[in-house]
Every structure is written in C-alpha cells, then in structure tokens.
Short mmCIF file of all heavy atoms in Angstrom, two decimals:
data_model
loop_
_atom_site.label_atom_id
_atom_site.label_comp_id
_atom_site.label_asym_id
_atom_site.label_seq_id
_atom_site.Cartn_x
_atom_site.Cartn_y
_atom_site.Cartn_z
N LEU A 288 -8.08 20.47 -17.85
CA LEU A 288 -7.12 19.40 -17.55
C LEU A 288 -6.23 19.83 -16.38
O LEU A 288 -5.68 20.93 -16.38
CB LEU A 288 -6.27 19.10 -18.78
CG LEU A 288 -5.31 17.91 -18.68
CD1 LEU A 288 -6.06 16.62 -18.39
CD2 LEU A 288 -4.52 17.78 -19.98
N ASP A 289 -6.07 18.93 -15.43
CA ASP A 289 -5.45 19.29 -14.15
C ASP A 289 -4.40 18.25 -13.76
O ASP A 289 -4.24 17.21 -14.41
CB ASP A 289 -6.54 19.37 -13.07
CG ASP A 289 -6.13 20.18 -11.85
OD1 ASP A 289 -4.97 20.65 -11.78
OD2 ASP A 289 -6.98 20.33 -10.95
N ILE A 290 -3.70 18.56 -12.69
CA ILE A 290 -2.73 17.65 -12.07
C ILE A 290 -3.21 17.31 -10.67
O ILE A 290 -4.09 17.97 -10.12
CB ILE A 290 -1.34 18.31 -11.96
CG1 ILE A 290 -1.43 19.57 -11.08
CG2 ILE A 290 -0.80 18.63 -13.33
CD1 ILE A 290 -0.15 20.00 -10.48
N GLU A 291 -2.61 16.29 -10.09
CA GLU A 291 -2.77 16.01 -8.66
C GLU A 291 -1.43 15.53 -8.12
O GLU A 291 -0.90 14.51 -8.56
CB GLU A 291 -3.87 14.97 -8.40
CG GLU A 291 -5.25 15.53 -8.64
CD GLU A 291 -6.38 14.65 -8.15
OE1 GLU A 291 -6.14 13.43 -7.96
OE2 GLU A 291 -7.49 15.15 -7.96
N LEU A 292 -0.89 16.30 -7.20
CA LEU A 292 0.37 15.96 -6.54
C LEU A 292 0.11 14.89 -5.49
O LEU A 292 -0.59 15.16 -4.50
CB LEU A 292 0.97 17.21 -5.91
CG LEU A 292 2.14 17.03 -4.94
CD1 LEU A 292 3.35 16.43 -5.65
CD2 LEU A 292 2.50 18.35 -4.28
N GLU A 293 0.68 13.70 -5.68
CA GLU A 293 0.44 12.61 -4.76
C GLU A 293 1.73 11.82 -4.52
O GLU A 293 2.71 11.94 -5.27
CB GLU A 293 -0.63 11.65 -5.29
CG GLU A 293 -1.97 12.31 -5.60
CD GLU A 293 -3.07 11.29 -5.87
OE1 GLU A 293 -3.00 10.16 -5.32
OE2 GLU A 293 -4.00 11.62 -6.63
N MET A 294 1.71 11.00 -3.48
CA MET A 294 2.69 9.94 -3.28
C MET A 294 2.00 8.62 -3.58
O MET A 294 0.80 8.46 -3.33
CB MET A 294 3.21 9.93 -1.85
CG MET A 294 3.99 11.15 -1.44
SD MET A 294 5.58 11.32 -2.27
CE MET A 294 6.41 9.83 -1.72
N GLY A 295 2.76 7.66 -4.10
CA GLY A 295 2.23 6.33 -4.34
C GLY A 295 2.94 5.31 -3.48
O GLY A 295 4.17 5.28 -3.43
N ALA A 296 2.19 4.49 -2.76
CA ALA A 296 2.76 3.40 -1.97
C ALA A 296 2.73 2.12 -2.81
O ALA A 296 1.70 1.79 -3.42
CB ALA A 296 1.98 3.20 -0.68
N VAL A 297 3.86 1.41 -2.85
CA VAL A 297 3.99 0.19 -3.67
C VAL A 297 3.92 -1.02 -2.75
O VAL A 297 4.75 -1.19 -1.85
CB VAL A 297 5.32 0.20 -4.43
CG1 VAL A 297 5.44 -1.04 -5.32
CG2 VAL A 297 5.46 1.48 -5.26
N VAL A 298 2.94 -1.88 -2.98
CA VAL A 298 2.75 -3.08 -2.16
C VAL A 298 3.76 -4.14 -2.60
O VAL A 298 3.81 -4.52 -3.77
CB VAL A 298 1.32 -3.61 -2.27
CG1 VAL A 298 1.16 -4.91 -1.48
CG2 VAL A 298 0.32 -2.57 -1.75
N GLY A 299 4.57 -4.60 -1.64
CA GLY A 299 5.60 -5.59 -1.96
C GLY A 299 5.13 -7.02 -1.79
O GLY A 299 5.44 -7.89 -2.61
N THR A 300 4.40 -7.29 -0.72
CA THR A 300 3.87 -8.63 -0.48
C THR A 300 2.37 -8.55 -0.31
O THR A 300 1.85 -7.59 0.27
CB THR A 300 4.49 -9.28 0.77
OG1 THR A 300 4.28 -8.42 1.90
CG2 THR A 300 5.98 -9.51 0.58
N GLY A 301 1.66 -9.55 -0.80
CA GLY A 301 0.21 -9.51 -0.81
C GLY A 301 -0.42 -10.10 0.42
O GLY A 301 0.24 -10.46 1.40
N SER A 302 -1.75 -10.19 0.37
CA SER A 302 -2.53 -10.79 1.46
C SER A 302 -3.50 -11.80 0.87
O SER A 302 -3.76 -11.81 -0.34
CB SER A 302 -3.29 -9.72 2.25
OG SER A 302 -4.18 -9.00 1.40
N ARG A 303 -4.04 -12.66 1.73
CA ARG A 303 -4.92 -13.74 1.27
C ARG A 303 -6.35 -13.25 1.10
O ARG A 303 -6.82 -12.37 1.82
CB ARG A 303 -4.89 -14.92 2.24
CG ARG A 303 -3.53 -15.57 2.38
CD ARG A 303 -3.65 -16.95 3.02
NE ARG A 303 -4.35 -16.90 4.30
CZ ARG A 303 -3.78 -16.64 5.46
NH1 ARG A 303 -2.48 -16.36 5.50
NH2 ARG A 303 -4.47 -16.64 6.57
N PHE A 304 -7.06 -13.84 0.16
CA PHE A 304 -8.48 -13.57 -0.05
C PHE A 304 -9.25 -13.84 1.24
O PHE A 304 -9.10 -14.88 1.88
CB PHE A 304 -9.00 -14.46 -1.17
CG PHE A 304 -10.48 -14.37 -1.41
CD1 PHE A 304 -11.02 -13.25 -2.01
CD2 PHE A 304 -11.32 -15.40 -1.03
CE1 PHE A 304 -12.39 -13.16 -2.23
CE2 PHE A 304 -12.69 -15.32 -1.25
CZ PHE A 304 -13.23 -14.19 -1.86
N GLY A 305 -10.05 -12.88 1.65
CA GLY A 305 -10.87 -13.04 2.85
C GLY A 305 -10.16 -12.73 4.15
O GLY A 305 -10.78 -12.84 5.22
N GLN A 306 -8.87 -12.34 4.10
CA GLN A 306 -8.09 -12.14 5.33
C GLN A 306 -7.68 -10.67 5.47
O GLN A 306 -6.77 -10.21 4.78
CB GLN A 306 -6.84 -13.02 5.31
CG GLN A 306 -5.98 -12.89 6.54
CD GLN A 306 -6.71 -13.34 7.80
OE1 GLN A 306 -7.22 -14.45 7.85
NE2 GLN A 306 -6.77 -12.46 8.80
N PRO A 307 -8.35 -9.90 6.33
CA PRO A 307 -7.92 -8.53 6.57
C PRO A 307 -6.54 -8.48 7.21
O PRO A 307 -6.09 -9.45 7.83
CB PRO A 307 -8.98 -7.98 7.55
CG PRO A 307 -10.14 -8.93 7.46
CD PRO A 307 -9.54 -10.27 7.12
N VAL A 308 -5.85 -7.35 7.06
CA VAL A 308 -4.55 -7.15 7.71
C VAL A 308 -4.64 -5.93 8.62
O VAL A 308 -5.42 -5.01 8.39
CB VAL A 308 -3.41 -6.96 6.68
CG1 VAL A 308 -3.29 -8.18 5.80
CG2 VAL A 308 -3.61 -5.71 5.84
N SER A 309 -3.85 -5.93 9.66
CA SER A 309 -3.81 -4.79 10.58
C SER A 309 -2.99 -3.66 9.97
O SER A 309 -2.28 -3.85 8.97
CB SER A 309 -3.19 -5.22 11.91
OG SER A 309 -1.82 -5.51 11.74
N VAL A 310 -3.03 -2.49 10.60
CA VAL A 310 -2.23 -1.37 10.14
C VAL A 310 -0.74 -1.72 10.23
O VAL A 310 0.04 -1.41 9.32
CB VAL A 310 -2.56 -0.10 10.93
CG1 VAL A 310 -1.63 1.04 10.54
CG2 VAL A 310 -4.01 0.32 10.70
N ALA A 311 -0.33 -2.36 11.31
CA ALA A 311 1.07 -2.76 11.46
C ALA A 311 1.47 -3.75 10.38
O ALA A 311 2.57 -3.66 9.80
CB ALA A 311 1.30 -3.35 12.84
N GLU A 312 0.61 -4.74 10.08
CA GLU A 312 0.91 -5.71 9.02
C GLU A 312 0.96 -5.02 7.66
O GLU A 312 1.80 -5.35 6.82
CB GLU A 312 -0.14 -6.81 9.02
CG GLU A 312 -0.05 -7.74 10.22
CD GLU A 312 -1.26 -8.65 10.36
OE1 GLU A 312 -2.36 -8.28 9.89
OE2 GLU A 312 -1.10 -9.74 10.95
N ALA A 313 0.07 -4.07 7.45
CA ALA A 313 0.06 -3.34 6.19
C ALA A 313 1.35 -2.57 5.98
O ALA A 313 1.91 -2.55 4.88
CB ALA A 313 -1.14 -2.37 6.17
N ASP A 314 1.87 -1.98 7.04
CA ASP A 314 3.12 -1.24 6.94
C ASP A 314 4.27 -2.18 6.53
O ASP A 314 5.13 -1.80 5.74
CB ASP A 314 3.44 -0.56 8.28
CG ASP A 314 4.64 0.36 8.19
OD1 ASP A 314 4.66 1.21 7.30
OD2 ASP A 314 5.55 0.21 9.02
N GLU A 315 4.27 -3.40 7.04
CA GLU A 315 5.30 -4.38 6.68
C GLU A 315 5.17 -4.81 5.22
O GLU A 315 6.17 -5.18 4.59
CB GLU A 315 5.18 -5.61 7.59
CG GLU A 315 5.66 -5.38 9.00
CD GLU A 315 7.15 -5.09 9.05
OE1 GLU A 315 7.93 -5.86 8.48
OE2 GLU A 315 7.52 -4.05 9.64
N MET A 316 3.97 -4.75 4.67
CA MET A 316 3.74 -5.18 3.29
C MET A 316 4.23 -4.16 2.27
O MET A 316 4.45 -4.50 1.10
CB MET A 316 2.24 -5.43 3.06
CG MET A 316 1.68 -6.63 3.81
SD MET A 316 -0.15 -6.63 3.86
CE MET A 316 -0.56 -6.64 2.12
N ILE A 317 4.38 -2.91 2.67
CA ILE A 317 4.75 -1.85 1.74
C ILE A 317 6.25 -1.92 1.44
O ILE A 317 7.07 -1.89 2.36
CB ILE A 317 4.36 -0.47 2.29
CG1 ILE A 317 2.84 -0.35 2.39
CG2 ILE A 317 4.92 0.65 1.40
CD1 ILE A 317 2.36 0.90 3.11
N PHE A 318 6.60 -2.00 0.17
CA PHE A 318 8.00 -2.07 -0.25
C PHE A 318 8.63 -0.68 -0.31
O PHE A 318 9.77 -0.48 0.10
CB PHE A 318 8.08 -2.74 -1.63
CG PHE A 318 9.47 -2.77 -2.21
CD1 PHE A 318 10.45 -3.57 -1.67
CD2 PHE A 318 9.78 -1.99 -3.32
CE1 PHE A 318 11.74 -3.60 -2.21
CE2 PHE A 318 11.05 -2.02 -3.88
CZ PHE A 318 12.03 -2.82 -3.32
N GLY A 319 7.90 0.28 -0.86
CA GLY A 319 8.46 1.62 -0.99
C GLY A 319 7.46 2.59 -1.57
O GLY A 319 6.26 2.31 -1.67
N TYR A 320 7.98 3.75 -1.98
CA TYR A 320 7.12 4.87 -2.39
C TYR A 320 7.65 5.51 -3.68
O TYR A 320 8.86 5.52 -3.94
CB TYR A 320 7.07 5.92 -1.28
CG TYR A 320 6.33 5.45 -0.04
CD1 TYR A 320 6.98 4.66 0.90
CD2 TYR A 320 5.00 5.78 0.17
CE1 TYR A 320 6.31 4.21 2.03
CE2 TYR A 320 4.33 5.34 1.29
CZ TYR A 320 4.98 4.56 2.22
OH TYR A 320 4.32 4.10 3.33
N VAL A 321 6.73 6.07 -4.46
CA VAL A 321 7.06 6.82 -5.67
C VAL A 321 6.29 8.15 -5.63
O VAL A 321 5.29 8.29 -4.93
CB VAL A 321 6.67 6.05 -6.95
CG1 VAL A 321 7.53 4.80 -7.12
CG2 VAL A 321 5.18 5.68 -6.94
#
C-alpha cells in the first residue's frame, strides 16, 4: 500500500459536449487547487 503526492485542479466552469477548449480557455475554467 502506497501514497502519491499530487496536486488536484478543481474545474469551476464546464465546457460543451463536442467542443474542445484551448489551453488558455482551460486555465480560465480552473477555480483552484487542493
């Protein structure tokens, strides 16, 4: 049994089915981190 040290990104706003988002748009969608 092991651990994994990670950060978690929390998505604040979603995207539409079938619609990719750019890296810049993805950054705007992220609310915060845990």
Side-chain angles (χ1 to χ4, degrees):
L288 186 60
D289 200 357
I290 61 158
E291 288 191 340
L292 168 63
E293 303 191 29
M294 295 292 298
V297 182
V298 176
T300 56
S302 60
R303 298 196 305 274
F304 175 73
Q306 181 63 54
V308 300
S309 68
V310 174
E312 289 169 333
D314 187 52
E315 287 295 309
M316 292 165 59
I317 294 172
F318 176 70
Y320 292 81
V321 293

